[in-house]
Amino acid sequence: MNSIVVHYQEIALKGKTRPWFLSRLVRNLRGAVADLDVRAVRPLMGRIEVELGPGATREEVGDRIRRTFGVANFSYAARTRLDLDVLTEQILRELRDRTCQSFRVSVRRADKRFPMTSPEVEREVGGRIKSARGWKVDLENAELVVHIELLTAEAFYFFGKERGPGGLPTGTAGRVACLLSGGIDSPVAAHRMMRRGCSVTFVHFHSYPILSRASQDKARQLVTLLTQWQQRSRLYLVPFGDIQQQVVLAVPAPMRVVVYRRLMMRIAEQIARARGAQALVTGEVVGQVASQTLENLAVIGNVAALPIFRPLIGMDKEEITAEATKLGSYPISIIPDQDCCTLFTPRHPQTRARLAQVESAETVLPIQEFVEQAVREAVVEDFQFPGSVSGSGEARRSATREGGRW
């Protein structure tokens, strides 16, 4: 079998915009397998064929497809001429070493001009397989399902389906900027937005050199992992320790966490606008920590003109941890580090912040100067997956010092 047949689901419901979504999915698939021996990725009447070269293993290509949003399912398949004799002969040859107690044939006609209906083809091919192998036909609970898809001039057959990630092709829903903390929640939030077609830019706040580089290293590892799902990422490493020190000197202790978060939102929004992002994303969950009460979330979000998306807002920690484990981000997120969120944190932070009080406390701070300083000193790192056409498929990273423009 030298083909993989990719099926999509949500894209098929897009009406007049379906060709655009489909072309983006094809482009993303081509990018995902760019460093592998894949001869072609082509759309074919409601499906996509990925044609493998001799140097490609179907499992490796399948793993890339499994991380391409927009794919509902895919199958390791073989292509034949649109001739039932040829088709049946190849299927029997493929089944030569296989044993089973029961089977059935499932047929889909992409081109209804084929002279036989789908049930007729099922009975014809199924009868020939039964005669050749002696297997029992079971239409309800078959141990083996032989799938056949008939196109205009060719046919595919395969014996099972692999589940894809679903969602929409990355890049079809615009760009967002995610505040990436290095914890468990924000990578899961970013992944959820990717699944809905968003391209995610990452913004990580750190307190180096007051604290170690550990949080930056974790952020890089997380972005490297997440880039496998969207192929290209940009990470902004924003120094925040000096700003925190100045906040400590001017703002009452209980309000500091809220003020920190409002400053982060302002800085992230400026970066987001420069990147053409249309929203901010966080991993916040109602009631999880002191800064995430409804009152504090409202006060923190008040400073941003862009929408703030919180994909995990109603989830509990067990659900998020399970999703992070499945994603593969959990082992990275639990690596011990010195996060800026724990630096200069008061023992008893305010849980019911009032906007007027917080705004009054901020009047003594040079807010715009802080924002411009943070953006000016940010380090930008670009990630790409696959890393290179001849590489091993790992993400490639390049970094530059940010100079106030992108």
Side-chain angles (χ1 to χ4, degrees):
M1 292 186 169
N2 60 352
S3 291
I4 297 179
V5 175
V6 175
H7 294 100
Y8 44 87
Q9 189 169 11
E10 192 168 350
I11 292 176
L13 307 176
K14 290 299 180 182
K16 293 181 179 180
T17 60
R18 181 169 56 189
W20 179 74
F21 280 89
L22 178 58
S23 66
R24 190 61 188 241
L25 177 55
V26 170
R27 189 177 105 178
N28 290 352
L29 285 168
R30 286 172 179 160
V33 299
D35 62 333
L36 304 179
D37 185 14
V38 171
R39 289 177 173 172
V41 178
R42 61 174 74 92
L44 292 173
M45 300 185 69
R47 57 195 47 75
I48 299 168
E49 181 193 13
V50 179
E51 185 180 355
L52 308 183
T57 63
R58 69 179 198 174
E59 290 77 14
E60 187 174 22
V61 177
D63 188 55
R64 302 290 180 87
I65 295 173
R66 201 175 280 110
R67 291 198 299 266
T68 304
F69 289 118
V71 174
N73 60 73
F74 62 95
S75 302
Y76 303 116
R79 181 174 3 112
T80 77
R81 298 203 330 259
L82 190 62
D83 182 300
L84 288 191
D85 292 332
V86 174
L87 174 63
T88 306
E89 181 182 347
Q90 286 198 213
I91 291 174
L92 288 171
R93 188 182 305 118
E94 197 76 42
L95 293 173
R96 180 177 49 208
D97 299 325
R98 191 184 284 255
T99 61
C100 70
Q101 297 299 316
S102 61
F103 82 102
R104 71 180 177 92
V105 177
S106 175
V107 175
R108 293 176 61 185
R109 290 185 305 156
D111 190 338
K112 303 304 182 184
R113 292 174 296 180
F114 189 77
M116 298 173 66
T117 65
S118 294
E120 288 173 343
V121 176
E122 291 171 353
R123 287 193 293 269
E124 178 65 26
V125 176
R128 297 187 190 187
I129 295 175
K130 186 176 186 300
S131 298
R133 302 306 303 268
W135 294 339
K136 176 186 174 183
V137 175
D138 187 340
L139 300 181
E140 298 296 330
N141 298 296
E143 181 181 337
L144 171 68
V145 179
V146 179
H147 296 273
I148 298 174
E149 298 191 350
L150 306 176
L151 281 63
T152 300
E154 57 197 343
F156 291 96
Y157 67 86
F158 47 90
F159 305 123
K161 295 183 179 181
E162 302 283 334
R163 187 173 181 178
L168 294 173
T170 302
T172 57
R175 188 184 304 279
V176 297
C178 178
L179 282 73
L180 186 71
S181 68
I184 297 171
D185 304 331
S186 52
V188 176
H191 184 259
R192 285 194 161 203
M193 295 306 297
M194 291 177 188
R195 191 171 187 270
R196 295 314 306 159
C198 294
S199 297
V200 181
T201 291
F202 299 95
V203 182
H204 176 73
F205 294 89
H206 65 86
S207 294
Y208 180 83
I210 301 173
L211 300 178
S212 73
R213 296 182 184 271
S215 76
Q216 296 180 67
D217 293 337
K218 281 180 65 175
R220 292 186 183 101
Q221 291 183 58
L222 289 168
V223 174
T224 297
L225 172 70
L226 290 165
T227 303
Q228 296 179 28
W229 296 85
Q230 69 173 7
Q231 299 177 20
R232 287 178 176 81
S233 300
R234 177 164 289 185
L235 168 64
Y236 288 80
L237 297 166
V238 181
F240 198 64
D242 181 58
I243 293 173
Q244 286 181 282
Q245 288 180 312
Q246 296 185 60
V247 170
V248 167
L249 297 175
V251 174
M255 292 187 189
R256 288 173 192 162
V257 172
V258 173
V259 172
Y260 294 157
R261 294 292 294 172
R262 283 166 61 89
L263 282 165
M264 288 178 179
M265 287 293 182
R266 291 182 174 102
I267 295 164
E269 182 173 31
Q270 182 153 326
I271 291 172
R273 290 186 180 279
R275 283 285 286 160
Q278 297 170 280
L280 300 176
V281 177
T282 75
E284 293 167 317
V285 179
V286 169
Q288 185 164 260
V289 294
S291 66
Q292 296 176 15
T293 62
L294 287 178
E295 293 87 350
N296 285 2
L297 289 174
V299 172
I300 292 167
N302 174 266
V303 298
L306 288 177
I308 301 174
F309 295 154
R310 301 177 172 97
L312 314 183
I313 194 71
M315 298 178 68
D316 61 37
K317 200 66 177 182
E318 185 177 353
E319 293 172 314
I320 299 169
T321 299
E323 200 163 320
T325 301
K326 183 179 178 181
L327 172 61
S329 60
Y330 180 75
I332 303 172
S333 295
I334 62 173
I335 295 173
D337 71 309
Q338 296 176 300
D339 190 281
C340 72
C341 294
T342 61
L343 182 65
F344 306 128
T345 299
R347 179 172 295 182
H348 302 292
Q350 193 171 33
T351 58
R352 297 180 181 275
R354 295 184 179 180
L355 180 60
Q357 292 178 344
V358 173
E359 288 179 334
S360 176
E362 289 179 336
T363 57
V364 299
L365 298 173
I367 297 294
Q368 189 57 36
E369 181 181 322
F370 284 166
V371 174
E372 292 174 358
Q373 172 190 335
V375 171
R376 183 173 60 251
E377 296 180 355
V379 171
V380 182
E381 298 186 359
D382 288 316
F383 296 72
Q384 183 175 327
F385 180 87
S388 63
V389 173
S390 60
S392 62
E394 297 180 354
R396 182 178 66 216
R397 176 170 62 90
S398 60
T400 57
R401 170 70 61 178
E402 188 55 51
R405 57 188 178 87
W406 294 268

